[in-house]
């Protein structure tokens, strides 16, 4: 039962433009969400998080938006850079537990 | 600040054997979680340890077990290895077990079963 879904396996964006990565979830109890970036042969690197009491969190070029009614979150990267090319995972947890559910990932390719 | 350290990075075993993987969390982090990553199933939660106690467990058979030591270092053990256990095993640490702090991952142990 996939409680966190990333329906786009890949995304290609031109350097300097905006990258928008999407994530949907089914469990209404999820209250903490994370985005990770993963390069080959490395572990996931934490990017940004958001609590369910907020609908937006911004950190430099990265902004995460949360739409609780739609059970949807998105990661915006502006401007996109070639070094952003990686696989991006969203993850969610519920009820103050450290058990995170991960999406299947979206491979972002930023073209120079 | 040193990150999460996992050893070994690569491991080759045969069916029926057992294996122990090690994880040293970021200094000061007391919660350690383990995940299995496979191409078909993605990242799946195995278990979490805090204060040497297992707090959460995923949907994996009893062949998968773990423990945590007083210095927060953790090990996971897989017994009677099966071909399907071939995967990347990732360890993540966080400051506390509340689920309100980000988890920071190591680079994983790539386990191959022949």
């Amino acid at each position: 039962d996939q409680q966190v879904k990333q329906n786009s396996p890949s995304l290609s964006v031109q350097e300097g433009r905006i990258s928008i990565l999407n994530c949907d979830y089914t469990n209404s109890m999820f209250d903490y969400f994370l985005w990770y970036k993963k390069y080959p042969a490395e572990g996931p690197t934490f990017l940004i998080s958001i609590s369910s009491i907020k609908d937006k969190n911004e950190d430099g070029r990265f902004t995460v938006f949360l739409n609780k009614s739609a059970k949807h979150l998105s990661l915006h990267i502006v401007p996109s850079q070639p070094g952003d090319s990686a696989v991006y995972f969203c993850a969610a947890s519920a009820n103050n537990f450290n058990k995170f559910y991960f999406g299947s990932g979206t491979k972002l390719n930023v073209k120079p | 600040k040193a990150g999460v350290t996992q050893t070994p990075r690569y491991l080759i075993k045969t069916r029926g054997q057992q294996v122990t993987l090690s994880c040293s969390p970021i200094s000061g982090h007391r919660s350690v979680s383990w995940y299995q990553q496979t191409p078909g199933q993605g990242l799946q939660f195995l278990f979490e340890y805090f204060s040497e106690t297992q707090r959460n467990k995923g949907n994996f058979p009893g062949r998968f077990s773990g423990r945590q030591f007083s210095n927060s270092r953790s090990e996971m053990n897989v017994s009677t290895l099966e071909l399907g256990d071939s995967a990347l095993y990732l360890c993540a640490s966080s400051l506390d077990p509340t689920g309100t702090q980000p988890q920071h991952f190591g680079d994983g142990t790539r386990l191959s079963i022949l």
Side-chain angles (χ1 to χ4, degrees):
Chain A
D1 178 26
Q2 195 74 12
Q3 299 190 43
V4 179
K5 297 179 183 178
Q6 293 176 259
N7 293 318
S8 298
S10 63
L11 175 68
S12 189
V13 170
Q14 203 69 35
E15 179 179 7
R17 305 294 291 269
I18 183 172
S19 294
I20 300 177
L21 298 113
N22 294 304
C23 181
D24 296 297
Y25 60 95
T26 57
N27 188 343
S28 59
M29 299 302 292
F30 285 150
D31 54 14
Y32 185 60
F33 304 87
L34 306 170
W35 280 96
Y36 287 89
K37 175 172 70 174
K38 187 178 184 303
Y39 293 118
E42 293 183 11
T45 300
F46 168 70
L47 280 174
I48 193 168
S49 64
I50 188 166
S51 161
S52 60
I53 63 173
K54 295 185 173 182
D55 53 22
K56 176 183 173 182
N57 190 25
E58 192 172 352
D59 184 0
R61 296 186 298 115
F62 302 92
T63 302
V64 55
F65 295 91
L66 175 63
N67 183 334
K68 290 184 287 294
S69 60
K71 295 192 183 67
H72 177 85
L73 71 157
S74 61
L75 175 68
H76 293 210
I77 306 174
V78 184
S80 301
Q81 299 172 353
D84 295 330
S85 297
V87 178
Y88 288 78
F89 292 93
C90 62
S93 70
N95 299 328
N96 291 339
F97 284 119
N98 250 0
K99 179 179 181 178
F100 283 87
Y101 295 84
F102 281 77
S104 54
T106 296
K107 186 173 184 178
L108 174 65
N109 179 33
V110 180
K111 297 177 286 187
Chain B
K1 191 175 186 181
V4 177
T5 304
Q6 291 189 246
T7 56
R9 287 296 309 274
Y10 303 94
L11 208 46
I12 299 175
K13 292 285 187 179
T14 56
R15 281 181 297 175
Q17 288 187 308
Q18 76 164 16
V19 68
T20 299
L21 312 181
S22 181
C23 172
S24 293
I26 291 172
S27 178
H29 284 196
R30 299 171 60 199
S31 169
V32 174
S33 298
W34 289 88
Y35 292 84
Q36 181 196 65
Q37 184 180 23
T38 58
Q41 298 294 321
L43 266 153
Q44 290 195 295
F45 175 82
L46 279 156
F47 29 64
E48 181 214 3
Y49 287 87
F50 176 75
S51 292
E52 303 176 63
T53 302
Q54 188 181 90
R55 293 188 74 248
N56 290 291
K57 191 176 190 305
N59 191 24
F60 280 82
R63 300 185 298 108
F64 292 81
S65 63
R67 59 177 174 169
Q68 186 182 35
F69 303 95
S70 58
N71 62 357
S72 295
R73 191 177 70 84
S74 177
E75 291 180 345
M76 70 162 277
N77 184 77
V78 189
S79 62
T80 321
L81 286 165
E82 301 177 358
L83 292 177
D85 297 334
S86 294
L88 178 67
Y89 290 89
L90 290 160
C91 169
S93 74
S94 59
L95 276 169
D96 58 46
T98 62
T100 60
Q101 297 287 331
Q103 294 186 325
H104 298 271
F105 284 84
D107 287 336
T109 294
R110 173 73 62 183
L111 176 63
S112 298
I113 312 301
L114 303 179

